[in-house]
Amino acid sequence: MDRQQRESLAGLTKNWPSAMQFDVPMAGYSTLRAGGRAAALIDVHRLSELRRLLEQLHEQQLVFRVIGRGSNILVTDKGFPGVIIRLKGELEQVDLVEASDENSDALETKKIEGGELLINAGGGCSLGNFLTWCAQQGLSGLEFMTGIPGSVGGAVRMNAGALGGEIGDCLHSLECVDACGSTIRVPRSDLRLSYRKAELVGRDRERDIDALIVASVNFRLMRVEQGEIRSRCAGYLSRRKGKQPTGVASAGSFFKNPAGDAAGRLIEAAGLKGRCCGEAMVSPVHANFIVNTGKSTATDILTLMEQVQETVFQEFAVRLEPEVEII
Ligand SMILES: Cc1cc2nc3c(=O)[nH]c(=O)nc-3n(C[C@H](O)[C@H](O)[C@H](O)COP(=O)(O)OP(=O)(O)OC[C@H]3O[C@@H](n4cnc5c(N)ncnc54)[C@H](O)[C@@H]3O)c2cc1C
């Protein structure tokens, strides 16, 4: 990014709730607590700001990447040459969509069957806050997501899930902003959701989902008694405890499970539990977690990732694919 581009981005965002920051170490924005620098980073608080920013980035031919809670990303030590965008403020809010509201989503609430309700959650909303709100409101459907430390937008992009459920199961539609700053509504039927993957199909199939920012998500949820929801959430949380490393930096499962098997089982069977590279380590608690035990660099983590891939391939002829998005 050259000086003129920096000046014009600084000028655009000067009076916004958060101004553009430059040359930002990404370790502070990733749960792995590692990573190179981004040329720029901004917290965007309104849909109008997001649209204006994307228009300008498009005009200046600058690359961007939206992140949520950084719980599934690793920026390489080379760094990211463009703008990292985070969704805050209005874009973190949650609301029940009322059938009487004067907007198209509201009209669709009437079409929802079987006592389901339509809930709109900002793409930047943390899953933890969203699930707490749902429990308070007596809205059920996503309890299995308890303990996943991401955002609503990041979880949809990854089709995050646990214990047999995926966030895609409760999706109704998305409101997205494209790389030119235009808003697009994406109904559930235009998405192909598979294991840790969301793709666009149907009329939008030519678009790349990587070029869309999920500004907000409509979910279909059911009314259930609050106590019942809380006890389900507690049950899901206790099933996680003891099986995953806690109190240590990680991005959750590092590799996707290959069809019919578990990446953790293969890594453990290859004798890699506890293997280190610098301060990156294959967790002794769960072999599919690569943890940062101190001041690991992104290069340490990626070198260890390659060693794991190579060893598992030699032992079992299975090529493990990272679930973590390497930026
Ligand atoms: C301890 C731990 C446990 C975990 N357990 C699970 C688990 O059980 N199941 C599971 O599926 N995952 C799990 N994860 C991984 C991670 O939490 C999920 O993938 C989560 O959904 C990522 O959300 P995020 O907001 O942190 O996304 P980020 O890591 O910030 O980003 C991930 C990807 O989503 C994109 N993205 C982020 N926000 C948006 C948006 N608004 N619009 C479009 N794209 C966006 C980013 O560009 C990137 O490609 C775990 C992680 C940790 C650290």
Side-chain angles (χ1 to χ4, degrees), residues 29-32 64-74 85-87 91 122-127 144-163 165 167 175-176 195-196 209-217 240 244-246 248-253 289 323-327:
Y29 295 90
S30 156
T31 58
L32 267 166
F64 67 87
R65 186 86 184 226
V66 61
I67 63 164
R69 302 281 144 165
S71 61
N72 213 35
I73 55 158
L74 179 63
I85 302 171
R86 299 196 312 161
L87 308 181
L91 301 165
C125 182
S126 85
L127 285 171
F144 59 87
M145 299 288 289
T146 307
I148 302 181
S151 65
V152 165
V156 168
R157 173 67 183 73
M158 300 304 302
N159 192 21
L163 304 165
I167 197 163
E175 184 178 21
C176 298
Y195 172 60
R196 302 298 170 262
I209 199 158
D210 282 335
L212 293 184
I213 292 185
V214 177
S216 73
V217 181
R240 278 179 182 269
Q244 296 183 355
T246 48
V248 63
S250 83
S253 295
F289 278 55
E323 180 181 317
V324 173
E325 300 259 318
I326 295 149
I327 296 178

Side-chain angles (χ1 to χ4, degrees), residues 39 94 103 136 150 162 229 232 243 320:
V94 185
N103 64 48
Q136 283 162 355
I229 297 175
R232 283 185 203 164
K243 295 197 187 120
L320 293 178

